[in-house]
Amino acid sequence: MANITLYGTPISTYVRTARLLLAEANVDYGLKDIGIFNGDNKTDSYLSKHPFGKIPTLEIEGDTLYEINAITYFINEKFAAGKFAPADLMTRSHMYQIISIVSSYLYSPAVSVLTIENLVKPGQGKEIDQQAVESAIAPTQKALNAIEDIATGNPYLFGSGLTIADFYLIPIFVYLSKTPQFEAVTANAPKLKDWWNKVQTLDSVKEVCG
Ligand SMILES: N[C@@H](CCC(=O)N[C@@H](CS)C(=O)NCC(=O)O)C(=O)O
């Protein structure tokens, strides 16, 4: 088995994306905790692996990969013979479209605002910025509605097999579902609600996101 280390903190959504894929592909790996709230990601030693100081980073047999799209592409091709990307070209393109929507339009309002304000700040003794929360509802709903339109569902985003896009969306739903805004932002996304009920039961999700 190859010598594989994933660097990142277990609570990070993108670290969870990589770990869900590694788990579903049955890959053995080591996890090296790199905290983002205590500055581990800005040390010289970590910046020598990832010059932008983000997580995750994957090390495999002396090679270093950062950026989640590169990491998931590599894991899927190397360890799963590409099975987590749909074979049909248009469906595969739709999968990458959802991945891009998650990173470009969903992550910021759903994670940086709704998750941080509702779930992180109270634990730090900080006040929730209700105005920021209110402003994040419409963009979160818009991104989820777009994903709802593109996904085929039943039961995963693209039918009977998990895809890389599922692993991007699951960690965000893990947090979003705990916020008071969850019903509002998923009001027009019945397929995603069914999807969420299903993916929560996966062993990999319980192991990585539990
Ligand atoms: N462009 C990066 C984004 C990764 C990212 O945003 N990671 C977050 C945690 S989920 C992070 O490192 N935050 C710490 C920081 O921005 O200082 C990728 O594709 O991997």
Side-chain angles (χ1 to χ4, degrees):
M1 180 43 78
N3 187 6
I4 303 165
T5 306
L6 186 72
Y7 293 82
T9 187
I11 60 168
S12 147
T13 59
Y14 284 129
V15 170
R16 288 180 170 185
T17 297
R19 296 188 71 203
L20 286 169
L21 177 55
L22 286 162
E24 288 291 341
N26 288 313
V27 178
D28 280 336
Y29 65 97
L31 179 68
K32 173 96 175 68
D33 198 344
I34 299 291
I36 51 175
F37 295 120
N38 64 4
D40 283 351
N41 57 323
K42 304 293 180 197
T43 60
D44 288 346
S45 130
Y46 187 68
L47 288 170
S48 72
K49 302 182 195 305
H50 192 320
F52 300 98
K54 302 277 184 187
I55 53 170
T57 295
L58 186 78
E59 264 183 4
I60 172 158
E61 303 294 357
D63 276 316
T64 304
L65 267 182
Y66 61 84
E67 290 301 290
I68 190 64
N69 293 351
I71 292 170
T72 51
Y73 174 77
F74 178 84
I75 295 168
N76 185 40
E77 295 300 321
K78 170 95 178 163
F79 300 110
K83 85 165 181 178
F84 296 105
D88 173 72
L89 176 61
M90 185 50 81
T91 314
R92 190 160 71 246
S93 303
H94 280 146
M95 182 196 75
Y96 283 114
Q97 193 181 8
I98 287 182
I99 287 172
S100 191
I101 290 169
V102 169
S103 294
S104 303
Y105 310 115
L106 180 64
Y107 182 89
S108 175
V111 179
S112 305
V113 182
L114 294 181
T115 300
I116 298 292
E117 293 295 333
N118 287 296
L119 308 181
V120 177
K121 274 190 168 182
Q124 298 173 328
K126 294 181 184 159
E127 242 179 68
I128 296 177
D129 182 343
Q130 293 297 351
Q131 210 177 328
V133 167
E134 281 303 310
S135 309
I137 294 173
T140 301
Q141 194 177 46
K142 183 172 178 174
L144 292 179
N145 290 349
I147 294 170
E148 170 84 9
D149 284 347
I150 296 162
T152 48
N154 201 21
Y156 303 122
L157 289 179
F158 294 101
S160 58
L162 283 161
T163 66
I164 300 173
D166 292 273
F167 304 133
Y168 278 69
L169 199 55
I170 289 168
I172 293 186
F173 264 63
V174 168
Y175 290 135
L176 209 47
S177 64
K178 295 187 172 81
T179 71
Q181 294 76 39
F182 185 61
E183 285 308 317
V185 298
T186 54
N188 300 318
K191 264 185 280 177
L192 291 187
K193 280 187 182 164
D194 287 348
W195 167 85
W196 174 233
N197 286 333
K198 169 73 181 173
V199 296
Q200 282 179 79
T201 66
L202 294 169
D203 286 345
S204 60
V205 173
K206 290 182 197 157
E207 179 198 317
V208 169
C209 306

